[in-house]
């Protein structure tokens, strides 16, 4: 089925209609998955992966993508009642991040919908879909999963409503919540329900969240109640520290939180997947195509990943603003070289393949196969980051397996180039090591990456230039970016390449003041950057940065942190990025005068700026990326 030169028929996919079920000879599905995304049968789309895993275990799985929740609810009724349970997912993104900008303005497109059309899912689909299903089928279990449910599994600050909300389990009315990467969890739920165990008696499966009448064990963690957190933001901050630490442990503890008159039980994570388990998932018969129901309409998110390959899961970077480790975990689960190369070969057989693999990557492109030298030390560690404030001495940073994988994938017949489109952690590739072999290998990796795997532009994320902001972000000093930039330019010169290094930056992060943004401008313009793709900090559930934004304190130190919260300041912090645009510079100047920061205005209007403009007046401006 991976060879899409053959006709792609509906029976190759999980059924989405009653007619498709009948053609398969089904009277009833065992499991029906409702998803906020379009149905793309590709291993980068979570609902498809869960469906294929359950199907491979012998269950009859159907999927209802982007059901209409506004009409007579026929989409929720058309497949009837499943034998075991309904699964509900908002999709590959938290719906509020999907729908709204950092300025809380409605987006006009949706990358996970045919034609990029907006409005095909509600706000909080996890809540909306679950409530509808429980009203229509009160006796059928509803299991919520996906990243929206995962990141909202305990009390959390919701930026779009500007308030603290309880666990989404409470708001949705679902019977159980699956958090994190859900293949093993959903499969175990299905097996226990299939064996006749009622949903209310399934209480101990890892990575599940449920209401429970059990008595917490003495070793369990009891968080401050949702109601107490509503009264005192410091208690919410204190809760977060426990949640983050337990989410990053190899052996986590059970966590409890009282919400209303009920207790929510959060079971710890499964151990990281083994290589064999990862390979088994990616060997499933994905067509790698959108369902024929879309009649060839473009799905932007699919277009981005159709010729890409995921090498691993997890991230040990622990960036304060990032949700990856909260959802995928800190420990890296990698596929075997053979599994990856098999998928690359499948891609070469696709009708539209022109010889270019768009990405050999993962959450962080160069964490493939990396782990602790002594895993027993890792099992006792509760630090959220292996890279901050310094690279852990127990971390194996040798990039030899990834280097070998790049070369092997590039040598497959039909492949002209393999690119790395995922973000690269240059602080990991440039980590100081005593072993000269590791140092030599990592240097070769950087050179190989720059020379052979950059599609014109290489994305990296220094995020800021100010050390104290970077420390809050759990990111390395900007001086390391400068060293990497020098290396990038050196390789380009040696190989006669004209490639660009594209840095990502964030404004209005907790701790970031106007002076810090002025420093950023001075630093980046001295490096000849015209910044185009930048991001205003968006608080998302289950991140340290969001807890600081909400509470005003660092949960780990109790230190009070400056928070840029007003719309006016957030607007002008972002405008610092665009100092070179005359109309925006005028507005920024008026703002700085208004707040009495003439000193910053003088820095931005210095001779160095005029010299910069004169020096670059004849240079071709880089295109927005």
């Amino acid at each position: 089925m991976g060879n899409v030169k053959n006709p792609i028929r509906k029976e190759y996919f999980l059924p989405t209609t009653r007619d498709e079920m009948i053609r398969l000879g089904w009277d009833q599905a065992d499991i029906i998955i409702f998803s906020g995304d379009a149905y793309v049968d590709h291993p980068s789309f979570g609902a498809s992966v869960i469906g294929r895993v359950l199907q491979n275990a012998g269950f009859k799985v159907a999927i209802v993508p982007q059901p209409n929740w506004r009409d007579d609810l026929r989409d929720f009724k058309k497949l009837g009642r499943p034998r075991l349970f309904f699964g509900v997912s908002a999709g590959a993104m938290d719906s509020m991040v999907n729908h709204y900008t950092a300025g809380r303005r409605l987006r006009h497109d949706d990358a996970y919908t045919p034609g990029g059309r907006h409005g095909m899912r509600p706000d909080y689909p996890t809540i909306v879909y679950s409530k509808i299903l429980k009203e229509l089928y009160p006796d059928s279990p509803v299991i919520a999963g996906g990243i929206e449910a995962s990141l909202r599994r305990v009390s959390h600050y919701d930026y779009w409503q500007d308030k603290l909300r309880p666990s989404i389990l409470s708001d949705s009315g679902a019977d159980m919540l699956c958090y994190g990467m859900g293949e093993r969890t959903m499969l175990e739920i299905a097996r226990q329900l299939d064996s006749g165990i009622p949903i209310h008696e399934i209480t101990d499966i890892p990575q599940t969240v449920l209401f429970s009448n059990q008595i917490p064990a003495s070793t369990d963690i009891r968080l401050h109640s949702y109601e107490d957190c509503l009264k005192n933001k410091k208690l919410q901050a204190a809760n977060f520290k426990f949640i983050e630490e337990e989410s990053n442990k190899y052996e986590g503890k059970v966590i409890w939180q009282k919400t209303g008159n009920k207790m929510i039980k959060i079971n710890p994570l499964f151990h990281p997947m083994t290589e064999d388990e990862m390979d088994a998932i990616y060997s499933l018969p994905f067509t790698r195509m959108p369902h024929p129901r879309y009649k060839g309409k473009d799905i932007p998110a699919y277009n981005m990943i159709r010729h890409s390959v995921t090498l691993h899961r997890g991230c040990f970077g622990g960036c304060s603003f990032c949700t990856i480790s909260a959802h995928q975990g800190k420990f890296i689960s990698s596929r075997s070289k053979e599994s990856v190369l098999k998928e690359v070969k499948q891609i070469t057989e696709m009708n539209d393949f022109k010889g270019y693999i768009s990405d050999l990557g993962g959450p962080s492109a160069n964490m493939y196969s990396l782990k602790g030298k002594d895993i027993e030390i890792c099992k006792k560690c509760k630090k959220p980051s292996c890279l901050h404030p310094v690279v852990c001495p127990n971390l194996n940073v040798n990039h030899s397996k990834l280097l070998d994988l790049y070369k092997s994938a590039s040598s497959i017949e039909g492949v002209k180039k393999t690119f790395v489109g995922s973000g690269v952690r240059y602080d990991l590739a440039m980590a100081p090591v005593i072993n000269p072999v590791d140092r030599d290998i990592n240097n070769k990796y950087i050179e190989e990456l720059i020379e052979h795997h950059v599609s014109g532009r290489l994305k990296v994320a220094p995020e800021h230039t100010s050390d104290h902001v970077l420390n809050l972000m759990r990111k390395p000093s900007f001086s390391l970016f400068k060293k990497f930039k020098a290396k990038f330019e050196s390789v380009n010169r040696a190989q006669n390449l004209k490639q660009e290094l594209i840095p990502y930056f964030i404004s209005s992060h907790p701790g970031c003041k106007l002076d810090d943004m002025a420093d950023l401008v001075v630093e980046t313009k001295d490096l000849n950057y015209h910044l185009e793709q930048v991001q205003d900090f968006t608080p998302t559930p289950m991140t340290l940065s969001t807890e600081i934004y909400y509470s005003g304190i660092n949960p780990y130190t109790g230190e009070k942190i400056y928070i840029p919260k007003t719309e006016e300041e957030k607007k002008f912090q972002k405008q610092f990025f665009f100092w070179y645009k005359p109309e925006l510079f005028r507005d920024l100047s008026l703002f700085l005068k208004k707040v009495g920061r003439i000193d910053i205005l003088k820095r931005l209007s210095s001779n160095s700026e005029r010299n910069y403009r004169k020096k670059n007046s004849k240079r071709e401006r880089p295109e927005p990326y």
Side-chain angles (χ1 to χ4, degrees), residues 9 32 60 150 154 156 159 176 230 301 306 321 368 370 397 406 424 453 473 502 510 575 584:
R9 299 193 297 269
I32 302 174
K60 297 175 181 176
S150 184
V154 292
H156 58 278
Y159 171 69
M176 187 178 289
L230 277 175
R306 64 195 306 166
F321 49 83
Y368 174 75
L370 300 184
V397 299
Y406 286 174
V424 173
H453 305 285
M473 292 178 165
I502 306 300
Q575 281 198 8
L584 295 181

Short mmCIF file of all heavy atoms in Angstrom, two decimals, residues 9 32 60 150 154 156 159 176 230 301 306 321 368 370 397 406 424 453 473 502 510 575 584:
data_model
loop_
_atom_site.label_atom_id
_atom_site.label_comp_id
_atom_site.label_asym_id
_atom_site.label_seq_id
_atom_site.Cartn_x
_atom_site.Cartn_y
_atom_site.Cartn_z
N ARG A 9 -7.59 3.09 -3.42
CA ARG A 9 -9.02 2.88 -3.27
C ARG A 9 -9.44 3.09 -1.82
O ARG A 9 -8.62 2.97 -0.91
CB ARG A 9 -9.38 1.45 -3.73
CG ARG A 9 -9.04 1.19 -5.20
CD ARG A 9 -9.71 -0.09 -5.68
NE ARG A 9 -9.22 -1.26 -4.96
CZ ARG A 9 -8.19 -2.00 -5.36
NH1 ARG A 9 -7.52 -1.68 -6.45
NH2 ARG A 9 -7.82 -3.06 -4.67
N ILE A 32 -14.54 3.87 17.14
CA ILE A 32 -14.75 4.97 16.19
C ILE A 32 -13.99 6.19 16.71
O ILE A 32 -14.21 6.63 17.84
CB ILE A 32 -16.24 5.31 16.02
CG1 ILE A 32 -17.02 4.07 15.55
CG2 ILE A 32 -16.42 6.46 15.02
CD1 ILE A 32 -18.53 4.29 15.49
N LYS A 60 -11.73 -3.56 14.64
CA LYS A 60 -12.37 -2.86 13.53
C LYS A 60 -12.46 -1.38 13.89
O LYS A 60 -13.18 -1.01 14.82
CB LYS A 60 -13.76 -3.42 13.27
CG LYS A 60 -13.78 -4.88 12.85
CD LYS A 60 -15.20 -5.40 12.73
CE LYS A 60 -15.22 -6.87 12.33
NZ LYS A 60 -16.62 -7.41 12.29
N SER A 150 -3.85 16.11 26.05
CA SER A 150 -2.61 15.81 26.75
C SER A 150 -2.11 17.01 27.55
O SER A 150 -1.75 16.90 28.73
CB SER A 150 -1.54 15.38 25.74
OG SER A 150 -0.36 14.99 26.36
N VAL A 154 -4.35 18.52 33.55
CA VAL A 154 -4.56 19.01 34.92
C VAL A 154 -5.04 20.46 34.81
O VAL A 154 -5.21 21.00 33.72
CB VAL A 154 -3.26 18.95 35.75
CG1 VAL A 154 -2.85 17.52 36.01
CG2 VAL A 154 -2.13 19.69 35.06
N HIS A 156 -5.01 24.21 34.28
CA HIS A 156 -4.10 24.88 33.37
C HIS A 156 -4.61 26.28 33.04
O HIS A 156 -5.81 26.54 33.04
CB HIS A 156 -3.96 24.07 32.07
CG HIS A 156 -5.28 23.84 31.38
ND1 HIS A 156 -6.14 22.83 31.76
CD2 HIS A 156 -5.89 24.49 30.35
CE1 HIS A 156 -7.23 22.86 31.00
NE2 HIS A 156 -7.10 23.87 30.14
N TYR A 159 -4.85 30.94 27.87
CA TYR A 159 -4.52 32.29 27.45
C TYR A 159 -5.67 32.95 26.71
O TYR A 159 -5.92 34.15 26.84
CB TYR A 159 -3.28 32.23 26.55
CG TYR A 159 -2.91 33.50 25.85
CD1 TYR A 159 -2.42 34.61 26.56
CD2 TYR A 159 -3.01 33.61 24.46
CE1 TYR A 159 -2.07 35.78 25.91
CE2 TYR A 159 -2.65 34.77 23.81
CZ TYR A 159 -2.18 35.85 24.53
OH TYR A 159 -1.83 37.00 23.87
N MET A 176 -12.39 8.90 30.16
CA MET A 176 -10.97 8.74 30.43
C MET A 176 -10.20 9.60 29.44
O MET A 176 -10.68 9.92 28.36
CB MET A 176 -10.56 7.27 30.29
CG MET A 176 -9.13 6.95 30.70
SD MET A 176 -8.78 5.16 30.55
CE MET A 176 -9.76 4.50 31.91
N LEU A 230 -7.32 28.43 41.97
CA LEU A 230 -8.09 29.60 41.52
C LEU A 230 -7.91 30.78 42.48
O LEU A 230 -7.86 31.93 42.05
CB LEU A 230 -9.58 29.25 41.43
CG LEU A 230 -10.08 28.55 40.17
CD1 LEU A 230 -11.55 28.18 40.33
CD2 LEU A 230 -9.90 29.45 38.94
N ALA A 301 -0.86 20.99 5.56
CA ALA A 301 0.03 20.26 6.47
C ALA A 301 0.56 18.99 5.83
O ALA A 301 1.72 18.61 6.04
CB ALA A 301 -0.72 19.93 7.77
N ARG A 306 4.66 15.23 3.21
CA ARG A 306 4.38 14.04 2.39
C ARG A 306 5.65 13.28 2.03
O ARG A 306 5.65 12.06 1.88
CB ARG A 306 3.59 14.43 1.15
CG ARG A 306 4.32 15.33 0.19
CD ARG A 306 3.39 15.99 -0.82
NE ARG A 306 2.58 15.02 -1.54
CZ ARG A 306 1.52 15.35 -2.27
NH1 ARG A 306 1.15 16.63 -2.37
NH2 ARG A 306 0.83 14.44 -2.92
N PHE A 321 9.23 27.24 26.79
CA PHE A 321 8.02 27.64 26.07
C PHE A 321 7.47 26.52 25.20
O PHE A 321 6.46 26.69 24.52
CB PHE A 321 8.31 28.85 25.18
CG PHE A 321 9.54 28.67 24.34
CD1 PHE A 321 9.49 27.99 23.14
CD2 PHE A 321 10.77 29.15 24.77
CE1 PHE A 321 10.61 27.79 22.38
CE2 PHE A 321 11.91 28.96 24.01
CZ PHE A 321 11.84 28.28 22.81
N TYR A 368 18.50 12.07 17.20
CA TYR A 368 18.34 10.66 16.82
C TYR A 368 19.36 9.78 17.54
O TYR A 368 20.56 10.06 17.52
CB TYR A 368 18.50 10.51 15.31
CG TYR A 368 18.50 9.08 14.82
CD1 TYR A 368 17.31 8.37 14.74
CD2 TYR A 368 19.67 8.45 14.43
CE1 TYR A 368 17.29 7.06 14.29
CE2 TYR A 368 19.68 7.14 13.98
CZ TYR A 368 18.48 6.44 13.92
OH TYR A 368 18.47 5.14 13.48
N LEU A 370 20.27 9.42 20.51
CA LEU A 370 21.05 9.91 21.65
C LEU A 370 20.37 9.59 22.98
O LEU A 370 19.14 9.69 23.11
CB LEU A 370 21.28 11.42 21.52
CG LEU A 370 22.03 11.88 20.27
CD1 LEU A 370 22.28 13.38 20.32
CD2 LEU A 370 23.36 11.13 20.12
N VAL A 397 26.60 12.53 23.17
CA VAL A 397 26.30 13.53 22.14
C VAL A 397 26.89 13.15 20.78
O VAL A 397 26.87 13.95 19.86
CB VAL A 397 26.80 14.93 22.56
CG1 VAL A 397 26.12 15.39 23.84
CG2 VAL A 397 28.32 14.93 22.72
N TYR A 406 22.14 9.74 7.35
CA TYR A 406 22.06 10.72 6.26
C TYR A 406 22.70 10.17 4.98
O TYR A 406 22.13 10.25 3.88
CB TYR A 406 22.80 12.01 6.64
CG TYR A 406 22.11 12.91 7.65
CD1 TYR A 406 22.77 14.04 8.14
CD2 TYR A 406 20.82 12.66 8.10
CE1 TYR A 406 22.16 14.88 9.05
CE2 TYR A 406 20.21 13.49 9.02
CZ TYR A 406 20.89 14.61 9.50
OH TYR A 406 20.30 15.45 10.41
N VAL A 424 17.42 22.30 14.09
CA VAL A 424 18.66 21.68 14.55
C VAL A 424 19.11 22.33 15.86
O VAL A 424 19.13 23.56 15.97
CB VAL A 424 19.77 21.82 13.49
CG1 VAL A 424 21.11 21.33 14.03
CG2 VAL A 424 19.39 21.07 12.23
N HIS A 453 22.66 18.96 3.24
CA HIS A 453 21.28 18.72 3.69
C HIS A 453 20.50 20.00 3.99
O HIS A 453 19.51 19.97 4.73
CB HIS A 453 21.30 17.80 4.91
CG HIS A 453 22.02 16.52 4.67
ND1 HIS A 453 21.49 15.49 3.93
CD2 HIS A 453 23.27 16.11 5.03
CE1 HIS A 453 22.36 14.49 3.87
NE2 HIS A 453 23.44 14.85 4.52
N MET A 473 14.31 30.85 29.29
CA MET A 473 13.86 30.00 28.19
C MET A 473 14.52 28.62 28.20
O MET A 473 14.12 27.73 27.46
CB MET A 473 14.18 30.66 26.84
CG MET A 473 13.41 31.90 26.52
SD MET A 473 13.99 32.56 24.92
CE MET A 473 12.67 33.72 24.52
N ILE A 502 18.82 30.83 9.04
CA ILE A 502 17.60 31.54 9.44
C ILE A 502 17.36 31.37 10.94
O ILE A 502 17.01 30.28 11.40
CB ILE A 502 16.37 31.03 8.67
CG1 ILE A 502 16.62 31.10 7.16
CG2 ILE A 502 15.13 31.81 9.04
CD1 ILE A 502 16.91 32.50 6.66
N PRO A 510 8.23 35.96 29.07
CA PRO A 510 8.42 36.38 30.46
C PRO A 510 9.87 36.74 30.74
O PRO A 510 10.79 36.02 30.34
CB PRO A 510 8.00 35.13 31.25
CG PRO A 510 6.94 34.50 30.40
CD PRO A 510 7.40 34.73 28.99
N GLN A 575 7.44 44.87 17.31
CA GLN A 575 7.88 45.83 16.30
C GLN A 575 9.39 46.07 16.34
O GLN A 575 9.97 46.52 15.35
CB GLN A 575 7.12 47.14 16.44
CG GLN A 575 5.71 47.08 15.85
CD GLN A 575 5.11 48.43 15.60
OE1 GLN A 575 5.77 49.45 15.73
NE2 GLN A 575 3.84 48.45 15.23
N LEU A 584 7.06 51.25 10.60
CA LEU A 584 7.03 50.63 11.92
C LEU A 584 8.00 51.30 12.88
O LEU A 584 7.74 51.41 14.08
CB LEU A 584 7.33 49.13 11.81
CG LEU A 584 6.30 48.30 11.05
CD1 LEU A 584 6.70 46.83 11.04
CD2 LEU A 584 4.91 48.44 11.63
#
